[in-house]
Amino acid sequence: MLRATASVLLVVLGCGMASAQTAGDAVAAKRVLALYTDDRLLPAVQQGEEGLRAGLEAGPPTGIEYFGEFFQAARFPMAGHDEVMHAYLLAKYRDSPPDVLVAAGRAVLLFLLDHRQTLFPGTPIVFLGLSEDEVPRDRLDASVTGVPGSWDLVPAVELALRLQPGTTRMVVINGVSAREQELVAPLREAATRVADRMSFTWLANRTLAQLKTDVAALPRGTAVLFVSQFEDAAGHFYRSRDVVEMLAPLSSVPFYGLYESQIGYGLVGGTMQTWNTVGQVAATLVKRILAGDNPQAAAEGLEMPVSTIVDWREMKRWGLDETRLPPDTDIRFKQPTLWEAYRTQAIIFTAVGVAQLMLIAALAVALQRRRVAEATRLQAEVKAAQLRDELAHSARVTMMGELATTLAHEINQPLAAILSNAQATRRWLKADHPNLDEVRATVDDIIADDKRAGEIIHRMRALMKKGDHKPQRIDLAQAIRDVAALLQGELIAADVTLRLDLPPEPLPVDADEVAMQQVLLNLMMNGIQAMKEAGGRIRQLHVHAARAGESVVVTVHDTGKGISEETRARLFEPFFTTKTSGLGVGLAICRRIAEAHGGRLEVGVASTGGATFLFSLPTPEATS
Amino acid sequence: MTTPATVFVVDDDASVRTSLSRLLRSAGFEVEAYALGEQFVARGPFDGVGCVVLDLMMPGGSGTELQQRLTELSSDLPVVFLSGHGAVSDGVRAMKQGAVDFLTKPVDEEVLLATIDAAVARHRAARAARDERDAVRRRVETLTPREHEVMQCVIGGALNKQIAAHLGIAEGTVKLHRARAMEKMGAASVADLVRLCDLAGVETTRCS
C-alpha cells in the first residue's frame, strides 16, 4: 500500500517536469527590461511594477522574461551616474538584449533617449508614470510610446461635491519645490473649469507650522485638496504622505488628494490613476508591441483609467455617506465586519458555535441544576437530620426534666448512705478498739454507693448528650435494666411496681445506645404516668423483651386507662399530647428512631385494659 | 443508767437503711431496720423507749401512710421523717400528723442524733406519764364501788355531810370509805387525790 502511493507520486512528479520542458522548448522567450527612476521600495514603484508584471504574466504571449533595474535617482542623481548605469546595462544585457524597454519616470526615459545610439538601439520603449506635460514629445521617435498619466483637479472637486454637497471652497495645498510649482499651472487651468461650482484658495507658499494652523481653522463648506508638499516655505523637505499624516488629523475639514500614494495617511480620497493601473497599461502596450504592433499604433485608443479611491476610516471620521460614492469606488481600509469578510464561515462557525454553546449551556445548566438540587437535597437532609437530632435531644432534655425530681432522689440516696457510713466510721475509729471488720465493710459500702451515684449521673449525662451517636453492638436487655434503674424513683413516687421479663442471655442489636434508652425511657415513663393519672389500685409496668425470629421485640404494658381510638390514630403525630407537660414529640421521635434503626414502634391492642407498645429492632444477623 | 432507746429505721433503700443503722448503733442506740412499713407493723407492739426514722418516699405506701397506721395502732413512738427532696407539702402533712421532725437527706449526724435524742426524750417522758397514769388507774381499780363513789364526791368538793346525804348513808360510813380511798390511791391530801383522779380520768360528782 505504501509502495503503491509512492509510485503514483513519482509518476505525477515526472509528468510535471515533462510538461515544463515542453513549454520551454516550444516558445522563444521574449525579454522585457523595465528601468525605474526611483527606489524599488517606494510604494508607487512597487505598485507600478506589480501592475506591469501582472499584466505581462497574464499573456498572451506567455513566457515573457522580465528584468527590472532601479536607478534610485533620489540617492544617486542621474547626472553623476548615467555613464556608470550605461556601461552597467550594456555589459549586463549584452548576451540577452531586451525585446522591449519600459521607462518608468521622466529621468529614465531621458537617459534612454540620451544613449539611444549605443544602448539597445532600436528597441521599442514604453514609458509610464509621466504626466502629459512631462512627456518630451520633441525627442520621441516612432519606437517610443506610452500613455501619459492624469493628475487632474476636477475629479477631486467632483468627489468632494458628491460627498459634501454644501462645499463651496477648496483650499489647495502644494509645496514650493520647482517640481511642485510646475504642477500649479495645469491645476489652476483646471480650476477655471469648475469655477462656477467652487472657489479656490491656494496655499502654495506656506511653512508646515503655518499649514497646521491653517487647516485647523477652516470653516464649514470648505474642503482641502492636498497636492504635494516635498518642500515647504521654510525650506524643509518632507515626504508628502508624512505631511498629510501630520495635517489631516488637525484639520477641521476633510482632505482630498490627487495621488494614490497618499491614500491611507489622512485623505478622504480622490479620483485618480493607480500605480497598478499605470503598470497594467504599460504591460498592455508591451504585449501589443511583442505581438508585432507598431509602437505608435499600439498606444492608440488607450487611456489611463482613473478610479475613485476612498479611505473608509476617513469617511467614518467625517461622517460621510458611503452610499454617495460612485459605483466601483475602491473603498480601502474598511475593517470588514466578520459578517462581510467571512459570511459563509461566519454562518457555519456561528451555527456550530451556537450549537456548541447551547449544548455546553444545556449541560452546564443541567449540571448546575443537579448540583444545586444535590446541594439543596444534602442541605435539607443535613438540616432535617440536625432538626431531628435537636428535637430528639429536646425530647430527652424534657424527659430528663420530668425525671429530675426522682433522679435527684436516686442520686441523693447513695449520697445520704455515704455520709451516714462515713460518720459512723469516724465514730468507731474514735473508740479504743474499733471493730476493723465493720469499718472495712462500711468503707466498701461507701465505695459502692459512690459508684452507684456516679452511674446515675453518667446515664443522665449520656441521655442529655447532643450530637450524632454511632450505632454499635449493644445489649438491649441491659439497656432496659439501665433505664429501669433511672426510673426507680419515678416508680416509687407513682407507686408503680415494675416487672422486668428479660431473658438471661443478652439481646444484641446494632443501635445507638442513647437513642435506645430514649425510646425505652419514653415508653416506660408514658406507662408510669398513664397509671398515675388513672389512679387505679393495681399499678404494674410490665416490660418484656425477647428474640422473635429476626427481630428483638420489646413490649411495654401498663395497667392505666388505655388509649382511646381517636388518640390511637394521632399518637405518633408530632406535638400531639394528652399530657399537660412535655413537648408531645416523644412518641413521634421514638418511632423515627425505631425506623432509622430498621425497626418499628407500634401501639398494640391490649385485651386486658391499659396500653401496650411494641418496639422491635432487627437482630444483627438480619441486618448484615 | 436508763435502758438504751431503740430506733426503728424504715427505709426501702438498703444502703440508706444499713448506713443509718450503723451510725445510730455507733451513737449507742438499739436499732431495728425494716425495708417496708408492713414489716415494721407486723413486728407487733413495742414497750420500750425509742422512735421511728421513716423514709417519706417508699414503695408500697408512703411514709405518712405508715405514720397514720402507727397512730391508729395507738403507737406512741415519735416519728422522725427523712426525705430525699424535702417537699414542703409532705413535711407539713407529716408534722400535722405528729411527726417530731422532718429532716432532709443526706442528713448530718449531729442533726440526726439531736433530733433522735429529742424524740427519744419525748417518748421517755410520754412513757413515764403513761406509766404513772396506768399505776393510778390500777389503784382506782382496787377501790370498791362505794369507795369510788365517795371519792368522786370528795374530788367534786363536797363535805362528808353532803356526801352522806347524797348517797343516803351515814356520815361515819362516808368518813370510813373516804379514808380507805385515800389510802388505796396513795393520796396524802385531797388536793393530791384531785390530781391523781385527774390523771386517771376519774369523773367528779356534784353532791350539793
Side-chain angles (χ1 to χ4, degrees):
Chain A
M1 183 67 201
L2 193 66
R3 188 174 293 174
T5 311
S7 323
V8 171
L9 205 63
L10 281 172
V11 169
V12 171
L13 282 171
C15 288
M17 281 154 77
S19 64
Q21 265 170 0
T22 312
D25 291 343
V27 182
K30 296 287 187 183
R31 300 185 196 90
V32 174
L33 174 60
L35 305 176
Y36 297 86
T37 306
D38 292 303
D39 197 287
R40 184 172 210 163
L41 296 175
L42 277 184
V45 175
Q46 277 184 357
Q47 288 160 21
E49 190 186 21
E50 252 176 45
L52 175 63
R53 295 190 66 169
L56 294 176
E57 282 166 20
T62 55
I64 296 171
E65 279 189 89
Y66 169 83
F67 305 91
E69 296 292 342
F70 302 85
F71 280 57
Q72 295 177 286
R75 302 282 301 278
F76 310 97
M78 301 299 285
H81 292 89
D82 75 340
E83 284 307 320
V84 177
M85 289 307 289
H86 174 240
Y88 160 76
L89 292 172
L90 205 56
K92 189 173 179 181
Y93 295 95
R94 181 184 296 141
D95 297 332
S96 49
D99 296 295
V100 178
L101 288 164
V102 175
R106 181 176 155 91
V108 168
L109 177 60
L110 292 176
F111 165 82
L112 283 175
L113 293 175
D114 288 347
H115 301 280
R116 192 69 177 139
Q117 304 306 315
T118 49
L119 190 65
F120 317 124
T123 307
I125 297 171
V126 173
F127 63 83
L128 63 85
L130 279 72
S131 59
E132 182 58 52
D133 57 295
E134 287 179 309
V135 179
R137 294 281 173 198
D138 52 326
R139 294 187 60 186
L140 304 185
D141 57 36
S143 65
V144 181
T145 189
V147 179
S150 161
W151 288 274
D152 195 356
L153 169 147
V154 176
V157 169
E158 278 169 354
L159 179 64
L161 286 170
R162 252 179 188 271
L163 293 175
Q164 297 168 271
T167 308
T168 54
R169 192 165 68 107
M170 198 151 233
V171 174
V172 185
I173 295 174
N174 196 17
V176 300
S177 70
R179 171 95 177 81
E180 289 168 312
Q181 289 302 320
E182 282 172 17
L183 294 172
V184 174
L187 288 174
R188 279 186 183 272
E189 188 275 322
T192 58
R193 284 185 273 140
V194 287
D196 56 328
R197 288 180 283 166
M198 191 72 76
S199 63
F200 292 88
T201 302
W202 301 87
L203 296 179
N205 194 17
R206 309 282 286 173
T207 65
L208 181 61
Q210 284 170 333
L211 286 173
K212 283 180 180 175
T213 317
D214 293 340
V215 297
L218 293 173
R220 282 171 63 92
T222 308
V224 172
L225 177 67
F226 187 91
V227 180
S228 180
Q229 194 74 26
F230 289 147
E231 188 183 351
D232 72 353
H236 293 121
F237 292 89
Y238 306 97
R239 286 196 304 173
S240 290
R241 62 161 68 157
D242 294 340
V243 176
V244 173
E245 204 166 17
M246 284 187 275
L247 294 182
L250 303 174
S251 177
S252 56
V253 297
F255 270 43
Y256 295 87
L258 302 178
Y259 298 98
E260 186 198 3
S261 55
Q262 293 162 8
I263 298 283
Y265 295 88
L267 298 185
V268 169
T271 299
M272 55 189 59
Q273 61 183 26
T274 69
W275 290 110
N276 191 285
T277 321
V278 169
Q280 298 236 17
V281 168
T284 306
L285 276 173
V286 170
K287 285 191 289 182
R288 285 184 181 178
I289 291 163
L290 287 175
D293 275 13
N294 174 291
Q296 293 301 316
E300 271 170 31
L302 268 183
E303 278 186 6
M304 188 58 72
V306 292
S307 53
T308 303
I309 305 168
V310 294
D311 184 335
W312 186 78
R313 298 169 302 186
E314 292 298 317
M315 295 279 290
K316 285 281 158 202
R317 177 186 165 197
W318 299 108
L320 302 176
D321 187 357
E322 209 176 306
T323 60
R324 289 178 175 275
L325 291 169
D328 302 324
T329 298
D330 180 3
I331 301 173
R332 297 189 183 171
F333 307 108
K334 182 170 187 176
Q335 283 105 357
T337 61
L338 274 178
W339 182 249
E340 284 167 335
Y342 305 103
R343 192 190 185 94
T344 314
Q345 292 95 322
I347 290 171
I348 294 167
F349 278 115
T350 307
V352 171
V354 165
Q356 280 181 335
L357 275 176
M358 281 167 69
L359 189 63
I360 290 166
L363 286 171
V365 165
L367 187 66
Q368 184 62 18
R369 275 199 191 141
R370 213 164 57 205
R371 278 200 189 135
V372 167
E374 185 75 1
T376 310
R377 192 179 63 76
L378 276 176
Q379 228 169 17
E381 267 179 22
V382 167
K383 210 170 166 185
Q386 276 174 351
L387 216 62
R388 282 196 299 266
D389 284 351
E390 292 280 341
L391 206 56
H393 181 248
S394 300
R396 285 202 302 277
V397 170
T398 307
M399 208 154 58
M400 294 309 282
E402 289 174 33
L403 275 175
T405 311
T406 56
L407 280 174
H409 178 74
E410 285 302 301
I411 296 165
N412 215 24
Q413 293 289 84
L415 286 182
I418 288 167
L419 183 63
S420 298
N421 274 327
Q423 287 173 338
T425 307
R426 190 170 64 185
R427 281 175 171 275
W428 284 325
L429 291 176
K430 277 182 198 161
D432 293 337
H433 302 288
N435 183 342
L436 288 180
D437 285 340
E438 192 150 17
V439 169
R440 217 169 279 126
T442 309
V443 171
D444 284 347
D445 280 357
I446 289 173
I447 294 167
D449 280 327
D450 189 275
K451 281 181 178 169
R452 180 179 144 202
E455 265 172 40
I456 293 164
I457 290 168
H458 175 77
R459 283 195 205 106
M460 275 175 70
R461 197 179 281 152
L463 271 169
M464 303 287 268
K465 210 163 58 184
K466 231 172 164 176
D468 58 338
H469 312 285
K470 297 273 183 302
Q472 52 191 10
R473 184 69 50 87
I474 60 161
D475 177 9
L476 200 60
Q478 188 53 46
I480 293 169
R481 285 186 204 102
D482 287 347
V483 171
L486 271 179
L487 284 170
Q488 212 51 51
E490 203 69 15
L491 289 165
I492 293 164
D495 199 11
V496 171
T497 47
L498 173 66
R499 189 177 138 206
L500 283 184
D501 216 347
L502 305 173
E505 74 277 2
L507 291 172
V509 288
D510 288 335
D512 166 19
E513 189 165 22
V514 174
M516 291 303 103
Q517 287 182 348
Q518 182 170 1
V519 173
L520 295 166
L521 200 56
N522 214 301
L523 295 179
M524 287 163 79
M525 266 181 77
N526 279 351
I528 293 168
Q529 284 169 356
M531 288 186 278
K532 198 170 163 186
E533 275 165 30
R537 234 173 53 78
I538 302 162
R539 301 181 186 182
Q540 192 185 61
L541 185 68
H542 183 193
V543 180
H544 175 270
R547 264 189 82 134
E550 293 197 319
S551 296
V552 173
V553 180
V554 181
T555 57
V556 178
H557 176 73
D558 65 60
T559 57
K561 276 194 288 196
I563 298 162
S564 72
E565 276 306 315
E566 54 182 321
T567 301
R568 185 188 296 272
R570 302 187 56 201
L571 202 55
F572 293 101
E573 284 176 22
F575 304 110
F576 173 79
T577 181
T578 56
K579 298 187 287 185
T580 47
S581 64
L583 291 176
V585 294
L587 282 174
I589 288 167
C590 288
R591 174 169 269 186
R592 198 199 64 75
I593 290 171
E595 285 168 356
H597 284 83
R600 285 157 62 172
L601 177 61
E602 286 161 345
V603 58
V605 182
S607 51
T608 57
T612 303
F613 282 88
L614 288 115
F615 171 44
S616 65
L617 288 174
T619 59
E621 299 82 58
T623 48
S624 62
Chain B
M1 183 73 193
T2 52
T3 51
T6 304
V7 180
F8 298 93
V9 176
V10 185
D11 197 312
D12 62 303
D13 191 302
S15 293
V16 174
R17 204 164 61 230
T18 310
S19 64
L20 273 180
S21 303
R22 280 195 186 114
L23 181 60
L24 294 172
R25 274 198 203 99
S26 73
F29 291 104
E30 288 289 325
V31 178
E32 283 185 31
Y34 300 96
L36 298 169
E38 283 95 341
Q39 291 171 353
F40 174 53
V41 172
R43 178 203 178 274
F46 170 66
D47 266 346
V49 174
C51 71
V52 181
V53 175
L54 258 184
D55 183 17
L56 197 58
M57 203 168 86
M58 283 190 301
S62 69
T64 49
E65 282 170 20
L66 177 62
Q67 185 194 18
Q68 186 80 42
R69 285 190 63 190
L70 289 175
T71 310
E72 282 164 14
L73 291 168
S74 330
S75 164
D76 59 355
L77 279 172
V79 175
V80 173
F81 271 112
L82 281 183
S83 165
H85 47 77
V88 175
S89 58
D90 285 341
V92 169
R93 191 149 51 104
M95 295 306 278
K96 274 185 179 169
Q97 287 178 11
V100 172
D101 222 325
F102 183 83
L103 303 176
T104 305
K105 282 195 240 179
V107 62
D108 196 71
E109 63 176 328
E110 283 176 29
V111 177
L112 178 70
L113 295 178
T115 306
I116 287 176
D117 278 341
V120 168
R122 183 172 142 166
H123 189 232
R124 201 180 292 282
R127 194 40 70 88
R130 196 193 67 181
D131 285 351
E132 193 187 1
R133 190 183 66 221
D134 288 352
V136 173
R137 278 186 184 163
R138 274 196 296 276
R139 280 180 234 158
V140 171
E141 280 163 15
T142 61
L143 299 179
T144 63
R146 190 53 89 182
E147 285 165 358
H148 198 267
E149 276 179 330
V150 170
M151 186 174 72
Q152 282 181 300
C153 289
V154 170
I155 60 172
L159 302 171
N160 288 344
K161 191 165 58 180
Q162 289 169 316
I163 297 166
H166 182 70
L167 296 176
I169 54 171
E171 199 177 341
T173 314
V174 170
K175 278 184 182 172
L176 191 67
H177 286 309
R178 179 177 180 154
R180 292 285 294 274
M182 290 283 278
E183 187 191 348
K184 279 183 179 173
M185 290 299 286
S189 63
V190 174
D192 199 19
L193 186 67
V194 168
R195 188 189 63 83
L196 291 170
C197 283
D198 185 41
L199 191 67
V202 177
E203 288 182 9
T204 57
T205 306
R206 293 252 162 231
C207 299
S208 55

